[in-house]
Amino acid sequence: MTAGERSLDLLIRNPVTKSVLPMASKMYIDGVDDLSEAKSNPNAKIIENINSLGNITKQYLYNYGVKAGEKGVLYNSNSDFSKKLASSPELKDFIKANKESLLKKTIRDWDFEFKGLTPDKAERYFSIQHAKLIEPYIDQNNIFHGRFIDNSDFVKRNPKTPVEILKAIPNNFGYGLQEKGLYKNYYSIFDLLIDLNNE
């Protein structure tokens, strides 16, 4: 790493950052330290072989840019990460706007973009930013089911405005490490379960 990259690396690993942005910090560490955070998480499972997943999830991951042989992490619905995404206003708004379709199981997938640097939104922006919701539905007990999938494959950005430059720092930092082989791409699957009777 360059001196600048090492400074950012230390900043992301800092206990303060891990307490304020735990999801973003731990997912970054997983990319540079061989999924060390996920391996110590009782609610996460390392996926060594994509063929161990169901055909629908596997096909969506391939369509999302995951390559054969890549490792991944499956976070169950009890994981802190899945709970954070399940309680996000973006997902709640989606469910509210599409409840009838979700009850009829007519939505196969939906693209999400998490944006914003406010304290509430920064965690989702810095950790996954873009994700695809797959197989969402509401069952007869008014329970929402679904899965978010994400692939940590960075693409270089060329920002022009000061705000764009600030927002591009994490992505371009990850891209730089990825190109040097210091960050290993992996995919994430977040199982979602929401009791809508309590909403």
Side-chain angles (χ1 to χ4, degrees):
M1 291 188 190
T2 64
E5 288 169 341
R6 191 161 299 282
S7 296
L8 278 172
D9 178 79
L10 292 171
L11 176 64
I12 295 169
R13 294 173 186 271
N14 185 288
V16 174
T17 305
K18 287 183 86 170
S19 66
V20 176
L21 300 169
M23 188 172 173
S25 176
K26 290 177 181 180
M27 290 183 74
Y28 162 77
I29 292 169
D30 276 339
V32 294
D33 287 349
D34 193 30
L35 306 178
S36 60
E37 291 286 347
K39 287 174 181 174
S40 65
N41 184 339
N43 291 306
K45 178 183 176 183
I46 307 300
I47 307 297
E48 300 280 352
N49 186 338
I50 198 170
N51 290 323
S52 66
L53 298 168
N55 286 334
I56 294 174
T57 299
K58 182 171 70 173
Q59 190 57 55
Y60 269 110
L61 287 168
Y62 279 140
N63 292 345
Y64 211 61
V66 171
K67 299 173 181 64
E70 266 185 55
K71 289 183 182 179
V73 182
L74 171 61
Y75 297 94
N76 68 36
S77 60
N78 288 317
S79 71
D80 289 343
F81 294 175
S82 291
K83 286 179 178 178
K84 281 188 177 193
L85 293 171
S87 65
S88 68
E90 294 91 344
L91 183 58
K92 287 183 177 181
D93 288 346
F94 164 79
I95 294 170
K96 185 177 179 181
N98 297 282
K99 189 162 187 180
E100 289 304 312
S101 297
L102 291 167
L103 285 164
K104 294 174 184 174
K105 301 182 181 180
T106 56
I107 297 177
R108 295 182 60 196
D109 58 65
W110 201 271
D111 290 317
F112 276 74
E113 180 179 6
F114 297 100
K115 48 188 176 178
L117 299 178
T118 61
D120 173 55
K121 296 180 178 181
E123 176 83 314
R124 296 183 296 282
Y125 176 79
F126 287 128
S127 56
I128 59 175
Q129 192 171 354
H130 299 98
K132 186 178 284 288
L133 178 67
I134 64 171
E135 300 184 90
Y137 70 94
I138 297 172
D139 68 20
Q140 67 274 14
N141 297 314
N142 208 28
I143 308 294
F144 172 84
H145 303 254
R147 271 185 165 174
F148 271 125
I149 61 169
D150 180 48
N151 187 23
S152 67
D153 189 4
F154 296 98
V155 176
K156 184 172 176 59
R157 295 181 185 169
N158 298 298
K160 294 177 176 59
T161 68
V163 173
E164 287 176 351
I165 291 168
L166 177 65
K167 291 173 78 172
I169 288 172
N171 183 86
N172 286 349
F173 169 58
Y175 173 81
L177 296 186
Q178 171 185 286
E179 292 304 290
K180 293 178 181 180
L182 299 174
Y183 184 100
K184 190 162 186 180
N185 303 119
Y186 69 98
Y187 57 89
S188 302
I189 305 166
F190 306 90
D191 279 343
L192 307 168
L193 204 61
I194 308 170
D195 186 346
L196 298 176
N197 298 299
N198 299 326
E199 296 294 315

